[in-house]
């Protein structure tokens, strides 16, 4: 059987890390695409040389032409610019919206059958715009944020309780912003829901509250430390987990930004929810039960996403 082809649109920090992991895990042949000349070619060659050390027989190629992504099975999109000092949220939105237009048109022309994972910020609005610009079916275009946010939540719980990350299942819902919704009642450590864990004395309510707060600010915590960029190792691992579930039809339930068709009482937008990822892309959205508090937090988070979408429509009325 032919090897899978993985196109990475954007060859910056996350794009380069994605290429490294994909090559090490022999997930498929990798094309690194970027508008900057030299960078995708240099990263592709560097990793290709490393394959002789870790013994992986995949091909890597750097590209500045969309024709090179032809017939990709998976496209992971990190193209865009980060927010710089003095730039408003709308400035960033305007710039990255133009990037999504170019990327969407490239995918539509050369890789219309791909499973597309968008990572570019502001995530929930960019994945929505990318689906529109590409015209691909909604179930084949998803956003990555929840896997990362939930991984942070799980890691902080593991660190505090001393229990293996493997036995922790943490969930965050809603948009990828400070008002995301860590689902305390649905997250478990060794099968115990977090409130039960507090009742049994594994951690205090104050400690749990602090972990929820730290999860919400997880991206900012890394930015404050790195100073010149944002997180890339954990975001890349998260994108890979989604790509693997699609490529091997694993049907994992992962928190992803999925297009909603009535689930959670919402339609026509992308928002973070648990979903089954298999060979058809997003095969099913899982609906968690929500209490009044969770409903209110989810509503607030969705309103932020709706605000971003309204801003996109104002910038580009064709949307
Ligand atoms: O959970 C999440 N979704 C996120 C999102 C977690 C962390 C970071 N998140 C966002 O991912 C971040 O805010 C950025 O919007 C993306 C990519 O982050 P990365 O750290 O990889 O950014 P870089 O290193 O700046 O890389 C972006 C690359 C860079 O090489 C540019 O030259 C390229 O994008 N770029 C383009 N490539 C193709 N086409 C166009 N038009 C283009 N414009 C810029």
């Amino acid at each position: 059987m032919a090897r899978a082809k993985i196109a990475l649109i954007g060859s910056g920090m996350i794009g380069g890390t994605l290429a490294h992991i994909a090559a090490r895990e022999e997930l498929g042949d990798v094309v690194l695409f970027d508008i900057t000349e030299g960078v995708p070619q240099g990263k592709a060659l560097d990793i290709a040389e490393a394959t002789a050390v870790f013994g992986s027989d995949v091909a890597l190629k750097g590209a500045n032409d969309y024709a090179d992504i032809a017939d990709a099975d998976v496209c992971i999109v990190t193209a865009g610019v980060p927010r710089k000092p003095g730039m408003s949220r709308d400035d960033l939105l305007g710039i990255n919206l133009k990037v999504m237009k170019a990327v969407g048109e490239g995918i539509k022309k050369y890789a219309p059958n791909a499973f597309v994972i968008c990572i570019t910020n502001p995530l929930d609005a960019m994945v929505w715009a990318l689906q529109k610009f590409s015209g691909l079916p909604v179930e084949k275009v998803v956003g990555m944020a929840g896997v990362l946010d939930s991984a942070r939540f799980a890691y902080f719980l593991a660190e505090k309780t001393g229990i293996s990350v493997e036995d922790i299942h943490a969930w965050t819902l809603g948009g990828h912003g400070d008002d995301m919704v860590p689902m305390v009642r649905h997250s478990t450590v060794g099968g115990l829901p977090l409130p039960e864990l507090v009742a049994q004395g594994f951690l205090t309510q104050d400690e749990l509250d602090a972990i929820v707060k730290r999860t919400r600010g997880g991206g900012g915590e890394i930015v404050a430390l790195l100073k010149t960029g944002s997180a890339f190792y954990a975001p890349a691992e998260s994108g890979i987990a989604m790509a693997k579930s699609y490529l091997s039809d694993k049907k994992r339930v992962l928190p992803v930004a999925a297009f909603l068709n009535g689930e959670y009482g919402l339609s026509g937008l992308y928002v973070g929810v648990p979903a089954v990822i298999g060979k058809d892309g997003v095969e099913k959205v899982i609906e968690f039960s929500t209490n009044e508090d969770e409903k209110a937090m989810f509503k607030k988070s969705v309103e932020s996403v709706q605000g971003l979408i309204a801003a996109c429509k104002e910038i580009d009325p064709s949307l």
Side-chain angles (χ1 to χ4, degrees):
M1 208 171 88
R3 274 198 296 259
K5 177 167 173 177
I6 300 163
L8 306 173
I9 319 285
S11 305
M13 298 308 290
I14 300 179
T17 311
L18 283 165
H20 187 199
I21 303 169
R24 273 195 85 113
E25 298 205 6
E26 260 180 340
L27 287 187
D29 293 335
V30 176
V31 175
L32 277 148
F33 174 94
D34 206 285
I35 41 163
T36 309
E37 287 178 21
V39 171
Q41 289 82 1
K43 289 192 178 184
L45 180 58
D46 192 10
I47 298 168
E49 290 164 357
T51 60
V53 183
F54 51 67
S56 162
D57 290 297
V58 298
L60 288 115
K61 182 174 186 182
N64 302 113
D65 186 338
Y66 275 105
D68 284 307
I69 72 161
D71 301 325
D73 299 291
V74 172
C75 293
I76 308 185
V77 179
T78 58
V81 299
R83 192 156 143 185
K84 300 198 182 77
M87 199 189 263
S88 74
R89 195 190 68 174
D90 284 355
D91 294 338
L92 177 76
L93 199 71
I95 296 170
N96 283 351
L97 197 56
K98 282 210 185 85
V99 174
M100 289 306 109
K101 190 168 188 337
V103 174
E105 286 167 358
I107 292 175
K108 180 183 195 162
K109 183 160 180 198
Y110 292 105
N113 298 315
F115 179 53
V116 179
I117 301 169
C118 181
I119 299 186
T120 303
N121 270 334
L123 190 269
D124 307 274
M126 292 303 103
V127 64
W128 173 84
L130 184 62
Q131 188 278 325
K132 290 224 177 272
F133 289 133
S134 69
L136 265 60
V138 290
E139 65 276 11
K140 296 293 282 293
V141 182
V142 282
M144 190 296 292
V147 176
L148 171 65
D149 296 329
S150 304
R152 287 177 173 149
F153 193 13
Y155 169 70
F156 299 148
L157 287 164
E159 191 188 37
K160 182 54 75 186
T161 58
I163 287 172
S164 168
V165 284
E166 276 197 70
D167 297 313
I168 300 183
H169 288 97
W171 299 94
T172 59
L173 265 54
H176 180 54
D178 297 346
D179 47 17
M180 69 178 78
V181 190
M183 297 298 286
V184 167
R185 289 186 314 127
H186 298 74
S187 300
T188 57
V189 173
L192 288 184
L194 302 186
E196 183 72 13
L197 207 70
V198 170
Q200 292 195 22
F202 282 88
L203 79 175
T204 66
Q205 186 62 46
D206 283 353
E207 286 169 337
L208 177 56
D209 293 345
I211 286 174
V212 165
K213 188 161 174 247
R214 191 175 175 197
T215 301
R216 287 202 169 108
E221 185 177 358
I222 304 270
V223 170
L225 290 166
L226 294 181
K227 295 187 182 73
T228 54
S230 48
F232 53 97
Y233 291 114
E237 288 291 353
S238 305
I240 293 283
M242 292 166 65
K244 275 166 87 169
S245 193
Y246 171 76
L247 287 170
S248 54
D249 192 23
K250 201 165 158 67
K251 304 200 194 293
R252 288 197 63 192
V253 179
L254 296 169
V256 301
F259 187 84
L260 297 183
N261 271 318
E263 300 90 347
Y264 293 89
L266 296 164
S267 286
L269 83 170
Y270 277 83
V271 70
V273 290
V276 179
I277 307 291
K279 66 174 180 1
D280 296 323
V282 173
E283 296 185 351
K284 190 167 178 44
V285 167
I286 307 271
E287 291 197 62
F288 279 178
S289 64
T290 46
N291 63 24
E292 288 312 309
D293 271 2
E294 290 155 355
K295 266 195 191 70
M297 284 191 281
F298 190 66
K299 183 165 177 276
K300 184 163 175 253
S301 184
V302 167
E303 280 166 3
S304 303
V305 175
Q306 286 164 331
L308 289 169
I309 290 176
C312 287
K313 285 182 173 165
E314 209 150 287
I315 295 166
D316 186 341
S318 76
L319 280 166

